[in-house]
Amino acid sequence: MSKIIKKKTKREDILAKAASLILEKGYEDFSMHDLEEKSNCARGCIYYHFKSKKEITEKVIDEIIKIKFADSWKDVYKGDNPVESICGMLDGLLLKQGNALAKKGCPLGNIAMELSHKDKFFSKKIQSIVALQISHIEKALTAAKSKGIIRKNVETDATAKFIVSLIEGCIMTAKTFQDKTILENCFKLIKDYLRNLYACEK
């Protein structure tokens, strides 16, 4: 393995461990000492790749959270029925991450709750990711409307914001009670809501 590949792998490993710590402890409560221990990497090695704890968190948001919780929705408008594509995304989220979400919550939601009102830099980053997720869902709803799948009077922008709010609220409630069943039931209700937007019986 070349030195370049090794450096990239170590950097990615540090970011992954930092993401895990942020999810477990929050931004303010995780320390560089915690990251040293979890990544099995000396402080100098960490600072070789990143200037500060803030930069590490910035890169976690940009390179892990953004891809996982916003970019994953980018193709949801494609397919014959974008509404069912959204429902499929919810099913996939529950299947692949349901246990973790019910136990630890959503990384983006957790950071938003902790930092949005305290740090303008992180607040803008969080807003941009949420806005991106909303735009992907809005694009899917617009496609569904243009195909006559959902009613013409559906306000796609407001509905997309409502859907994202529901998803985050479901995850937060499931985390509060440490109960995946809550997440399953809530996601089912979101899917029922979406299917009630149909212009006709499908």
Side-chain angles (χ1 to χ4, degrees):
M1 185 182 289
S2 70
K3 289 183 179 180
I4 294 175
I5 294 174
K6 283 183 179 179
K7 288 179 181 179
K8 182 179 180 182
T9 301
K10 177 53 69 175
R11 180 184 182 280
E12 290 173 348
D13 183 60
I14 293 169
L15 278 183
K17 296 301 192 300
S20 177
L21 282 169
I22 292 169
L23 190 57
E24 291 172 12
K25 295 189 172 187
Y27 169 74
E28 293 189 345
D29 288 339
F30 99 84
S31 67
M32 295 301 287
H33 178 69
D34 292 330
L35 186 54
E36 283 182 86
E37 289 191 339
K38 198 170 186 71
S39 64
N40 194 28
C41 185
R43 187 77 58 98
C45 174
I46 295 172
Y47 282 122
Y48 174 80
H49 294 283
F50 306 99
K51 295 178 182 178
S52 64
K53 174 181 169 180
K54 186 168 185 175
E55 184 186 2
I56 291 170
T57 304
E58 175 191 357
K59 299 306 179 184
V60 166
I61 292 172
D62 288 343
E63 299 179 27
I64 296 178
I65 294 176
K66 178 177 179 290
I67 293 170
K68 197 170 186 178
F69 291 91
D71 285 356
S72 60
W73 291 83
K74 66 182 179 180
D75 294 327
V76 75
Y77 74 96
K78 296 179 179 178
D80 294 334
N81 189 333
V83 171
E84 292 304 320
S85 295
I86 297 173
C87 292
M89 284 293 297
L90 293 174
D91 289 338
L93 191 60
L94 191 61
L95 179 65
K96 297 176 183 178
Q97 302 175 45
N99 289 326
L101 292 171
K103 183 178 180 181
K104 297 180 179 180
C106 168
L108 181 61
N110 291 352
I111 290 178
M113 291 290 288
E114 182 183 7
L115 297 178
S116 285
H117 64 296
K118 294 180 181 179
D119 190 302
K120 290 183 179 180
F121 174 78
F122 285 128
S123 179
K124 288 181 179 179
K125 283 199 164 290
I126 293 163
Q127 287 174 19
S128 69
I129 296 175
V130 175
L132 184 60
Q133 186 179 15
I134 289 169
S135 72
H136 293 325
I137 295 176
E138 196 276 335
K139 189 175 183 179
L141 293 172
T142 299
K145 183 189 281 191
S146 68
K147 293 180 179 184
I149 294 170
I150 62 175
R151 299 188 299 274
K152 292 181 179 180
N153 65 347
V154 173
E155 297 181 11
T156 55
D157 180 61
T159 303
K161 290 173 181 173
F162 181 55
I163 294 301
V164 172
S165 299
L166 287 175
I167 292 170
E168 287 300 322
C170 290
I171 294 170
M172 183 183 70
T173 305
K175 177 189 174 184
T176 299
F177 289 95
Q178 293 286 287
D179 188 350
K180 183 183 175 183
T181 304
I182 291 175
L183 194 61
E184 292 171 346
N185 292 336
C186 284
F187 276 15
K188 180 182 181 301
L189 290 173
I190 295 175
K191 291 186 292 182
D192 289 345
Y193 169 80
L194 283 165
R195 287 164 178 152
N196 280 331
L197 300 178
Y198 281 142
C200 59
E201 191 70 23
K202 295 290 179 185

